[in-house]
Amino acid sequence: MIRKLTSPWLLAVLAAVVMMATACGSTTPGTTSKGTLTVAGFNFPESSILADIYGQALSHDGYTINYKLNLGTRQVVSTAIESGQIDLYPGYAASELEFYNKQAGEATSDPAATTAKLNAHLQPLNLVALTPSAAVDKNAFAVPQAIADQYHLTKLSDLVPIANKLTLGAGPECKTNAFCLPGLVRVYGLHFKAFKTLDTDGPATRAAFKSGAIQVGLVFTTDADLKGLGLVVLDDDKHLTAADNVLPIIRTAVATDEVKTVLNSIDAKLTTVDLIAMIDKVANQHQDADAVATAWLQQHNYSS
Amino acid sequence: MPVGKFLSYDPWVNWAWLSTHVPLFESALQQHLSLTVFAVLGGLVISLPLGVAAHRWGAFRNPVLAVSGIFYSIPSIALFSLLIPYTGLTALTAEVGLIGYTVLILVRNVIVGLEAVPPEVIDAANGMGYRPLARLLRIELPLALPAIFAGIRIATVTTIGLVTITAVIGLGGLGQLILRGLIENFHTPLVVATVLSVALALVADLSLAGLQRLAVPWARNT
Amino acid sequence: MGAKHLAVGFLVSVWRWFADPANWSGSEGIPQRLMEHVQLSAESVAVGAVIALPIGIALGHYGRFGNLAINISNVGRAIPSFGLLVIAFQVFGLGDLPIVIALAALAIPPMVTNSYVGLSEVDPDIKDAARGMGYRELTQLFRVELPLAVPLVMAGIRTSAVQVVATATLAAIIAGGGLGRFVIDGIAQQNYPMMFAGALLVALLAIATELSLSGVERLMVPRGLRLLRAPVQSRTTTSKAA
């Protein structure tokens, strides 16, 4: 049978071919790379910045980097790295330790000791934590200025008599995070009236403060916008939080000497002041995390 | 202090920012389109034989429709996450989920389309000596095309929306920009990505409608 | 890698999650979340219906703007629910308001299209007869046309309702409540049994919504009117926004 040019089958095949051609896009052949690494970050801007810094430094050194930014909470990211779906993420020494040791309470304010204990737990998982940097970002708890004035709050212990009137807001991982709800109960004896699941130090938490849905909320010590929002951080007088220094968590299989050198040299130069400045640019001024990362790397003479 | 909402001065679309970030949207669109195309084509490849089988063997029909109806009610975000331990943070995970949903849409339309073929036509074809497979390919499926095309259009538009949800497994095309807009409290990527997703879906729908008019000139379908 | 998720062992952990009494009590238990989910869905469909039905019915009755009414479904389907919910959050902040607004917006298109088709397909002879019998316009609409259009109008409401129930899952991404909390928190805490249980509950609620609204429709179809043969589009128009 002679088919007309507009036969449905022919058109269907043509359409499919056209669609596949547009969809597949062109892939530029790259120069030989030293290998591919997948770098992930937690679901808050600071983590995207750190992942970009690590990733760009390795990329400059000749590795091909895939990014999985805003991947999720520590539970999500650790599942991914343990199963080999990702190779590297920027962690925080004490928080990683208390996660991988299931809240055993081993973290101290000494970054080196904390990291050593962390590596003891990471080793059977074929993971390793590299040298911690001087840059620190810890969990902190803030209240609106009005509430602080009303109840004369300056430190977390001050919350004990009134906690049962207050609502705590944080991300879903707070319920199992040693430096969040379980820690507040264990170290301070705080029993809040309610817990509201929001996000990890993000816009939902700030909105909840503003609307009065929460009176106490989890924030980070590197946040620069708290004062402007009328929030005051309560002092961690009983030292719940510990050495949350930034450090790379990486799969041992890809932790070659070269990779380790690159990452450790970044950690040697990263400071808390740097972090605060970078996060301010991304979270409050809407600059790109990768652009901010590039600027930091250039400033520290790392990438040309 | 910021005026009005808790968000600081952040226009809904910052054109200056947009003009310097076009490549970001280009690559997001490309990933979005590629995920969609494979999902719809993959869905077609599976649902055509499945629909034909369900139509041919009556006992198959209701279970297929019932099971597909149930699967359809499962929130996609849960489906993608449940697949991760098996298929990883990859496009495969996204495609298994997305193809699952396109199949559910398309198989219904294939069945309904085949059922709409008038029995007299089948009789006539048999009378003319067509064997079943030839009759299927040359008579029944072409006559079922309007319904199948309707399904392809719905599946394509639906998939474009569902792709945004694959942002939770590190994919997502335009969904990544929506996620970024949420986490960084930034309007522009969120609004532009959402608008682009709508535009992409409408363009796809109109193109498919045009294709349908070419392929099925005897049947007008809105 | 998949050891934790071997099918039988996994289903046992899901069963255990359901069997745990702690998950049935309190402000985060199943009954509370179920109620939140139903409330959000019902409010959204109601708000959507209040806007969509008059528009669709009017357009269908007057036979105007048919292409618009039919194509509004296409546009509605094209809106990504994830994006719409986040935009609603950035405009309205926290709480139920942004969720209801976003879900109502998603619920409107199927109801407009289906009521338009239902009204416009009423046999013109019947409308003539009604006019001949002296019915005034509104009476004709309510006594004659609407009852005949009930199957399609209800199909539109049903489609919207099922879609809203499924999409309300995403409300948890913007700190909302409902069954989606089990799904989103399950992902965040990598608690797969909880996540699966949440998804299952949403699916069951969606099916229950479909069945109960079908039942309502059967009650509302006027006596003597057998099931209309609905056009292919609305019968197979199943959309998925989440």
Side-chain angles (χ1 to χ4, degrees), chain A:
Chain A
M1 287 257 239
I2 300 170
R3 295 185 194 280
K4 297 204 299 205
L5 275 175
T6 52
S7 143
W9 299 111
L10 193 58
L11 273 177
V13 171
L14 262 174
V17 168
V18 167
M19 286 198 289
M20 305 262 300
T22 49
C24 284
S26 59
T27 39
T28 46
T31 50
T32 45
S33 110
K34 292 182 187 166
T36 307
L37 294 170
T38 305
V39 181
F42 298 128
N43 51 358
F44 47 86
E46 173 177 302
S47 198
S48 299
I49 298 170
L50 289 169
D52 276 322
I53 290 180
Y54 287 151
Q56 286 179 27
L58 288 168
S59 166
H60 180 256
D61 203 53
Y63 293 89
T64 309
I65 306 289
N66 286 328
Y67 292 95
K68 294 261 181 219
L69 301 181
N70 294 322
L71 190 58
T73 57
R74 182 167 290 107
Q75 283 96 327
V76 175
V77 172
S78 71
T79 304
I81 201 171
E82 286 177 47
S83 61
Q85 291 299 313
I86 61 169
D87 297 308
L88 162 68
Y89 72 89
Y92 303 90
S95 293
E96 304 305 320
L97 173 57
E98 293 305 311
F99 172 78
Y100 286 102
N101 69 10
K102 306 203 191 337
Q103 300 182 51
E106 291 176 300
T108 63
S109 53
D110 178 350
T114 302
T115 307
K117 290 182 203 153
L118 172 60
N119 271 319
H121 290 283
L122 289 179
Q123 204 233 355
L125 300 168
N126 298 318
L127 301 172
V128 62
L130 301 183
T131 316
S133 76
V136 171
D137 179 15
K138 303 196 237 194
N139 283 357
F141 297 91
V143 295
Q145 186 69 55
I147 305 257
D149 294 338
Q150 180 184 355
Y151 294 106
H152 310 292
L153 306 171
T154 51
K155 47 192 196 298
L156 280 172
S157 315
D158 294 339
L159 285 175
V160 175
I162 51 163
N164 56 5
K165 293 189 233 170
L166 305 177
T167 303
L168 170 70
E173 71 281 11
C174 175
K175 292 201 187 147
T176 48
N177 184 332
F179 299 130
C180 200
L181 196 54
L184 290 173
V185 172
R186 193 186 65 232
V187 173
Y188 287 95
L190 290 171
H191 296 278
F192 290 99
K193 181 176 86 175
F195 176 81
K196 189 142 173 56
T197 312
L198 298 161
D199 57 8
T200 311
D201 185 43
T205 301
R206 283 151 175 76
F209 270 124
K210 183 149 199 274
S211 73
I214 61 171
Q215 293 76 46
V216 185
L218 173 69
V219 296
F220 291 157
T221 51
T222 47
D223 286 333
D225 62 337
L226 299 177
K227 203 178 263 179
L229 293 170
L231 298 172
V232 61
V233 171
L234 296 178
D235 187 41
D236 178 22
D237 53 305
K238 291 198 182 164
H239 306 293
L240 161 64
T241 54
D244 262 330
N245 297 57
V246 173
L247 83 183
I249 309 287
I250 187 171
R251 290 198 309 121
T252 328
V254 300
T256 60
D257 286 337
E258 190 169 350
V259 167
K260 287 200 266 195
T261 310
V262 169
L263 296 176
N264 284 331
S265 73
I266 291 175
D267 280 352
K269 298 178 185 150
L270 196 60
T271 66
T272 308
V273 169
D274 291 343
L275 268 189
I276 294 176
M278 289 193 285
I279 291 151
D280 186 39
K281 293 199 178 112
V282 174
N284 303 320
Q285 299 171 32
H286 302 307
Q287 293 189 29
D288 294 339
D290 56 353
V292 165
T294 311
W296 185 90
L297 284 167
Q298 282 170 345
Q299 205 183 334
H300 291 82
N301 290 323
Y302 200 79
S303 49
S304 50

Side-chain angles (χ1 to χ4, degrees), chain A residues 286-288 290-291, chain B residues 14-26 180 186 188:
Chain A
H286 302 307
Q287 293 189 29
D288 294 339
D290 56 353
Chain B
N14 185 329
W15 297 102
W17 183 90
L18 189 57
S19 60
T20 48
H21 287 81
V22 170
L24 200 60
F25 288 93
E26 278 175 351
R180 174 176 162 177
F186 191 5
T188 306

Side-chain angles (χ1 to χ4, degrees), chain C residues 72-92:
Chain C
I72 210 173
S73 246
N74 292 343
V75 176
R77 253 196 295 267
I79 301 175
S81 48
F82 179 30
L84 191 61
L85 276 165
V86 178
I87 290 177
F89 165 66
Q90 290 196 347
V91 173
F92 296 102

Side-chain angles (χ1 to χ4, degrees), chain A residues 71 73 75-76, chain B residues 77-78 81-82 84 168, chain C residues 181-192 194-195:
Chain A
L71 190 58
T73 57
Q75 283 96 327
V76 175
Chain B
I77 194 171
S81 303
L82 285 166
I84 291 175
V168 298
Chain C
R181 267 278 55 103
F182 295 130
V183 177
I184 300 297
D185 291 352
I187 295 172
Q189 296 169 358
Q190 292 285 280
N191 182 343
Y192 277 74
M194 177 161 86
M195 190 220 307

Side-chain angles (χ1 to χ4, degrees), chain C residues 9-233:
Chain C
F10 180 63
L11 289 176
V12 168
S13 12
V14 173
W15 173 253
R16 271 207 209 106
W17 187 88
F18 275 112
D20 184 352
N23 289 324
W24 290 87
S25 63
S27 61
E28 294 175 338
I30 295 172
Q32 173 70 18
R33 295 300 188 203
L34 183 62
M35 194 202 73
E36 289 169 0
H37 203 107
V38 169
Q39 190 181 331
L40 280 171
S41 306
E43 282 172 4
S44 308
V45 175
V47 168
V50 159
I51 297 172
L53 292 181
I55 294 178
I57 289 171
L59 290 179
H61 172 70
Y62 292 109
R64 297 292 205 88
F65 298 114
N67 277 328
L68 176 67
I70 302 246
N71 287 315
I72 210 173
S73 246
N74 292 343
V75 176
R77 253 196 295 267
I79 301 175
S81 48
F82 179 30
L84 191 61
L85 276 165
V86 178
I87 290 177
F89 165 66
Q90 290 196 347
V91 173
F92 296 102
L94 288 176
D96 284 356
L97 180 66
I99 299 170
V100 170
I101 289 181
L103 292 177
L106 291 171
I108 285 172
M111 289 194 277
V112 168
T113 302
N114 278 42
S115 13
Y116 168 81
V117 173
L119 265 292
S120 65
E121 290 209 338
V122 170
D123 194 339
D125 292 338
I126 295 182
K127 292 209 271 202
D128 249 356
R131 231 175 328 230
M133 283 168 67
Y135 277 98
R136 276 171 306 178
E137 183 131 38
L138 266 180
T139 322
Q140 176 185 324
L141 176 63
F142 282 101
R143 288 270 176 91
V144 180
E145 295 179 50
L146 271 178
L148 287 173
V150 151
L152 274 170
V153 172
M154 279 306 298
I157 296 176
R158 200 171 62 233
T159 304
S160 286
V162 171
Q163 198 167 295
V164 162
V165 165
T167 313
T169 312
L170 294 179
I173 293 181
I174 53 171
L179 297 170
R181 267 278 55 103
F182 295 130
V183 177
I184 300 297
D185 291 352
I187 295 172
Q189 296 169 358
Q190 292 285 280
N191 182 343
Y192 277 74
M194 177 161 86
M195 190 220 307
F196 187 86
L200 191 59
L201 287 168
V202 171
L204 289 174
L205 183 62
I207 293 170
T209 306
E210 162 95 39
L211 290 175
S212 55
L213 287 177
S214 294
V216 170
E217 175 184 331
R218 214 162 298 143
L219 288 173
M220 285 178 66
V221 171
R223 232 179 303 149
L225 185 70
R226 293 294 157 236
L227 234 108
L228 282 175
R229 191 172 187 287
V232 162
Q233 193 172 34

